[in-house]
Amino acid sequence: MSTEKVKKSSFIQGPISSDFIGESIAKHQSKTTIGAHNIFLGQVRADEIEGKQVVAIDYSAYEEMAEQRFYEIRESAFSKFELSCLHIYHSLGEVKTGEICLFVFVSAPRRKVTYEALEFLVEAIKEKAPIFGKEIFEDASYTWKKNT
């Protein structure tokens, strides 16, 4: 039997469900040194680009490299902020407008740090993670998303 720890993937196929988000939060209720949680939920917008309406984004990633970036971002956040827990989940595949594609969850003994850490994390993910979004229009044409 292997004693090697199995690494959980940060990627979820398709949209991130409200059940998954709720269960993730509920799992932390037994950790009584935590005084605050904060979450960021990224949702696919129905943008209009050059007269066409976005109906979904098809996400792809260099998964191994992205997991490494997520690890580095997590480690950086733990060194900068007094956090108890930190989780990052991102969708792969098609996510329709109105559905959740990014879930970042932080916990700490005190509330103020969760706001600061969450902003740091979301900006770092947008800047450093090799995740790509193909914005799909109503007519099935597409354009590659620019991170803003």
Side-chain angles (χ1 to χ4, degrees):
M1 190 162 95
S2 174
T3 57
E4 199 174 301
K5 188 175 178 181
V6 176
K7 246 178 142 175
K8 285 193 311 184
S9 175
S10 299
F11 291 105
I12 293 176
Q13 196 62 44
I16 301 169
S17 72
S18 56
D19 286 346
F20 180 84
I21 294 164
E23 289 167 13
S24 296
I25 294 166
K27 287 177 186 174
H28 289 75
Q29 290 177 317
S30 62
K31 299 177 182 182
T32 57
T33 59
I34 293 172
H37 304 289
N38 203 351
I39 63 173
F40 174 84
L41 301 175
Q43 177 174 304
V44 175
R45 287 185 312 273
D47 285 346
E48 187 177 304
I49 302 170
E50 298 177 11
K52 294 181 181 181
Q53 191 81 33
V54 173
V55 296
I57 297 179
D58 187 8
Y59 289 100
S60 59
Y62 293 121
E63 289 184 56
E64 192 174 316
M65 186 187 295
E67 290 287 6
Q68 181 61 36
R69 292 292 180 275
F70 288 155
Y71 172 80
E72 292 163 5
I73 291 166
R74 278 189 202 95
E75 291 302 303
S76 182
F78 275 115
S79 70
K80 290 179 190 293
F81 306 101
E82 185 188 347
L83 298 174
S84 303
C85 293
L86 158 54
H87 304 277
I88 299 169
Y89 297 100
H90 201 293
S91 292
L92 288 179
E94 188 173 289
V95 180
K96 292 177 176 47
T97 55
E99 294 179 326
I100 302 300
C101 57
L102 175 61
F103 170 37
V104 182
F105 177 35
V106 295
S107 304
R110 306 261 182 268
R111 88 179 162 272
K112 186 175 182 182
V113 71
T114 66
Y115 296 107
E116 296 165 350
L118 199 56
E119 183 175 12
F120 166 82
L121 286 160
V122 172
E123 294 305 319
I125 291 164
K126 286 285 198 181
E127 181 184 322
K128 297 177 180 172
I131 299 170
F132 311 98
K134 187 190 311 182
E135 293 177 304
I136 302 169
F137 300 113
E138 293 168 300
D139 65 0
S141 65
Y142 67 87
T143 188
W144 288 99
K145 181 170 179 40
K146 294 166 185 62
N147 274 338
T148 56

